[in-house]
Every structure is written in C-alpha cells, then in structure tokens.
Amino acid sequence: MKTINIAKDYSDTPLGRFPADGEFNGTRFREEYLRPALTGEDKVSVQIDGVEGYGSSFLEEAFGGLVRRGYFTPDQLKQKLDLTYQDQDFKMYRDLIWRYINEAKPEKGQ
Amino acid sequence: MLPEHLDFERDYDTTASHFNLIRDAARGRYKIKYLGFELIEEISPAAALVLASEVHMWNRRITGRLRAVHETWNPNIKRLLCEMGYFELLGLDRPSSPGPTGDVTFLNFRRGTSDPIDKGKLAKELRIDIEGLVGTGIKKHEFYQGLSEAIVNVGQHAYPEGTSYASRKYWWQSASFDRRDRTLTVMFYDQGIGIPNSLPATGFLERIRARFDRWPDSLKIKAAMKYGRSSTRRGERGKGLQDLVKFAKAYPGGRLSIYSGTGLYRIQHGADDTVETVRHDYKRSIGGTLIEWSVKL
C-alpha cells in the first residue's frame, strides 16, 4: 500500500485548482502524486491533516478531478482510496472530498 | 483633499467617490497634482487598505514620483498608515515619529499578484502574523479556507485576459485587532471586474440570465455566494465563494462582508446559530471586490 502525506510529500499550503493558481495546486497534486499512486497500487492511503487547510478548488480538482477526467469511478475510489487524519478538525475535509468524488461526472470525451 | 472620514461603514458614498477620483487618475483619465491627507480624522482599516491600493496604482502611473508631507497629518492617521506599511508599500520615507500607540493595532499591508507562486505561503504568513498580533491561536483551517479561496478567485475571475483589467492583477490584504473588544478584522481587496460581472455558474441562473442582468449588485453577490461563480460555465468551478464564510461562521457573532461593484452583501452569524444577512446597494462602485472578515476572539 502506498501512503501519501499531503503536508510532508506535497505542501502544507495547498491552494487552487490550476497551475496558474499557485505552485501547489490541485491539478499538479492529482497528476503527479494521486493518479500515479492509484494507478500503480491496489490501495492508497492519503493523510490529509497537517496542512493549513483546504479550499474547495484544491479538493475538487485533486479528488473530484479523478472522476471528471475519467481516470476512476467513485466505486473504484471507494475500494482503493483511504483518507486518514489524526486531527479531528480534518473530518470536514474528508467528508468534502468524498462529496466531490461522488458528485463528479466524467467529462465528455473522457 | 481627502475627507475627514474614510469609512465604508460610516459614509460609503463619500469614501468611494474619493477613491474613484484616485482610480481615474491612475488610469490616466485626468491628473492629480496633490493628494491631501491633512483633513483625515478617521480611516477604517478597510478604507485604508483600499486607499493604499488606489494610491499604489496611481504611484505606478506617475512612476514613483509620489511624495508625502505628513508633518500636518493627524497623529492617529500617521500611526495607522505606518503600522499598515503604507510608506514602505509606496516607497516613501517613513515618519520618524509615527504617533502614540492606540487600542487598534494593524498589520502590514501585503500585496500579491496573480503570478503562479506559492500563494498559500502568503496566507500562512498572514495567519502567523495575526496570531502574533492577537496573542492567541485562531481557527486556522477556516481562515486558510476562506483566504486561499479569495486568492484563487482573484486569479480565476477578477482580471480576465483580453480586458483592460488583465494588466493589474494585484490584490492587497491586511488585518487589524481592537483590544477593547478583541475584534479581529481581516481584509482582502482586488481591483478586478467584481463578482456581479462574473457569469453565473449554474444552469438555473443561466436560464434567467436576462432577469439576472437587471438585479442590483448586492443580489448578484448573494446569488454568487449561494450558487457559485464561474466564467467558464463549468459546474464544478466557482464554488469557492462559499468557503469565504467559514472563518466568520467559526466564531459566534462572526461577520463576513463582501463589497463588490456597487453592492454589499453581509452574513452575520449569531451566538445561537442564527444567521442574518444584509444587502445594500450604493451609487458608486468600490472599484473591485473588498472582502472583510470580522470576528470576536
């Protein structure tokens, strides 16, 4: 099982959706960290606490984008993706991530 | 000459009309020979932030030839602008005697651009500075959620490419703390097209577009807060405005005010989970979008 600690492996200040939004944006996290890990492993654990916080743009693009881009279905992600945190403040972000995954619709042509 | 009171809350139209004059000068519509601060007796933190942004843009226009004769200024105004870093922001000499310390302390202005740098780091630095100022921790996750989305919104919506706004791309932020009632105020301002001029994100609002266009700005801000804001008509985009309210919501009595275009939309959270909203429309535009969080610590 692969583990990704967002704060340590990526940034403790993730922000925005696209590269134009900032260096540690959701697209980059999805394409360089999340998608390769999910493609190569049966199970991926993502530790989501330890960061300053998350805006909707980052979370939707990083996690909802996995479904919108046609990489995975929500059911596949339920099997493969484990979101962990020690800091209970981050429960709200875990819930938000699953909401974005479940609400995402594959884009046309994906 | 600037007026005695610069405060959007107390006298929006006078405050906005003076800022409009500076903005017009910055855009070359006419020349200002002198900007007088002598009469100012009171300036709110939010007005000081907008003033600094306007003077900054004007100073760029006149290629840094701005001068400040601050000997005749009210000591409180001089101190406030010193604390906020007004002189450093504009490349002016700082007064040697900025005046007595007051009950309200201000943080330095921070100016950002839409360049793809680590803007989250700027938000974290502001949070650390605020905690140093107030002497206690704040609800940092909610703070970051709101401020980071404000920053993202500027990059994605405020200064569209292909418009005259595209060359500005700045935003400004600051904070103040009133020791008397332990009120923390955080301000964020951009000089972009404003929330009311962004396309609605939802199919529902698109279908009533003709009616939407006739709404007052305050109602458009309210709709953008509720349904999202997007210039792309993509459903997943533009939901970040809803993040803005989280920091205010994290504190009983917390307040979020959004001035954009000619409108004000305010959300105030009561101690008993009640929520009050206020809408107001003015004659003059604020020249972009001003977001103000006000919470009692």
Side-chain angles (χ1 to χ4, degrees), chain A residues 11-24 51-58 60 68 87 89-90 92-93 96 99-100 107, chain B residues 114-121 123-124 127-128 140-145 147-149 151-152 155-156 234 236-240 242-243:
Chain A
S11 171
D12 68 340
T13 51
L15 176 143
R17 189 178 286 278
F18 304 122
D21 293 334
E23 191 178 350
F24 298 106
V51 303
E52 281 288 296
Y54 296 101
S56 301
S57 302
F58 177 88
E60 201 290 328
R68 278 191 296 101
D87 181 344
D89 285 353
F90 281 77
M92 65 176 173
Y93 294 118
L96 209 49
R99 198 183 108 197
Y100 289 140
E107 290 163 357
Chain B
S114 297
D115 297 335
I117 54 168
D118 182 4
K119 295 170 199 156
K121 196 175 158 195
K124 180 181 177 179
R127 191 264 300 168
I128 291 168
K140 74 174 190 179
H141 307 314
E142 290 84 354
F143 175 79
Y144 187 82
Q145 192 168 352
L147 188 61
S148 68
E149 283 303 311
I151 293 170
V152 168
Q156 291 185 358
R234 299 270 296 273
E236 76 279 5
R237 303 274 301 277
K239 296 187 192 309
Q242 292 149 14
D243 287 352

Side-chain angles (χ1 to χ4, degrees), chain B residues 80-126:
Chain B
L80 183 157
L81 293 175
C82 269
E83 284 179 359
M84 293 184 97
Y86 178 88
F87 298 94
E88 290 84 348
L89 179 75
L90 301 175
L92 300 170
D93 289 335
R94 201 171 190 272
S96 52
S97 53
T101 303
D103 292 318
V104 185
T105 314
F106 299 86
L107 281 182
N108 261 355
F109 296 113
R110 286 167 188 269
R111 188 183 65 211
T113 70
S114 297
D115 297 335
I117 54 168
D118 182 4
K119 295 170 199 156
K121 196 175 158 195
L122 297 177
K124 180 181 177 179
E125 286 170 359
L126 180 64

Side-chain angles (χ1 to χ4, degrees), chain A residues 78-94:
Chain A
K78 276 169 204 153
Q79 297 293 319
K80 289 172 85 78
L81 182 63
D82 189 21
L83 302 173
T84 66
Y85 53 88
Q86 313 244 314
D87 181 344
Q88 291 304 308
D89 285 353
F90 281 77
K91 181 182 180 301
M92 65 176 173
Y93 294 118
R94 184 199 62 181

Side-chain angles (χ1 to χ4, degrees), chain B residues 89-224:
Chain B
L89 179 75
L90 301 175
L92 300 170
D93 289 335
R94 201 171 190 272
S96 52
S97 53
T101 303
D103 292 318
V104 185
T105 314
F106 299 86
L107 281 182
N108 261 355
F109 296 113
R110 286 167 188 269
R111 188 183 65 211
T113 70
S114 297
D115 297 335
I117 54 168
D118 182 4
K119 295 170 199 156
K121 196 175 158 195
L122 297 177
K124 180 181 177 179
E125 286 170 359
L126 180 64
R127 191 264 300 168
I128 291 168
D129 285 352
I130 287 173
E131 290 183 340
L133 177 70
V134 303
T136 184
I138 61 169
K139 303 268 189 186
K140 74 174 190 179
H141 307 314
E142 290 84 354
F143 175 79
Y144 187 82
Q145 192 168 352
L147 188 61
S148 68
E149 283 303 311
I151 293 170
V152 168
N153 260 283
V154 170
Q156 291 185 358
H157 304 289
Y159 302 107
E161 292 299 329
T163 69
S164 60
Y165 291 90
S167 62
R168 297 174 206 153
K169 292 210 166 186
Y170 286 106
W171 47 264
W172 295 262
Q173 65 184 26
S174 186
S176 70
F177 182 58
D178 189 332
R179 284 182 193 78
R180 290 166 298 192
D181 59 2
R182 297 192 57 76
T183 296
L184 168 68
T185 305
V186 182
M187 296 86 61
F188 185 90
Y189 179 65
D190 72 71
Q191 294 184 354
I193 60 169
I195 293 170
N197 290 320
S198 296
L199 286 170
T202 66
F204 166 67
L205 285 175
E206 277 292 297
R207 286 196 294 278
I208 61 160
R209 182 64 195 263
R211 202 189 310 165
F212 177 86
D213 285 345
R214 291 196 297 272
W215 285 358
D217 280 0
S218 64
L219 193 54
K220 289 178 180 174
I221 302 168
K222 181 180 179 182

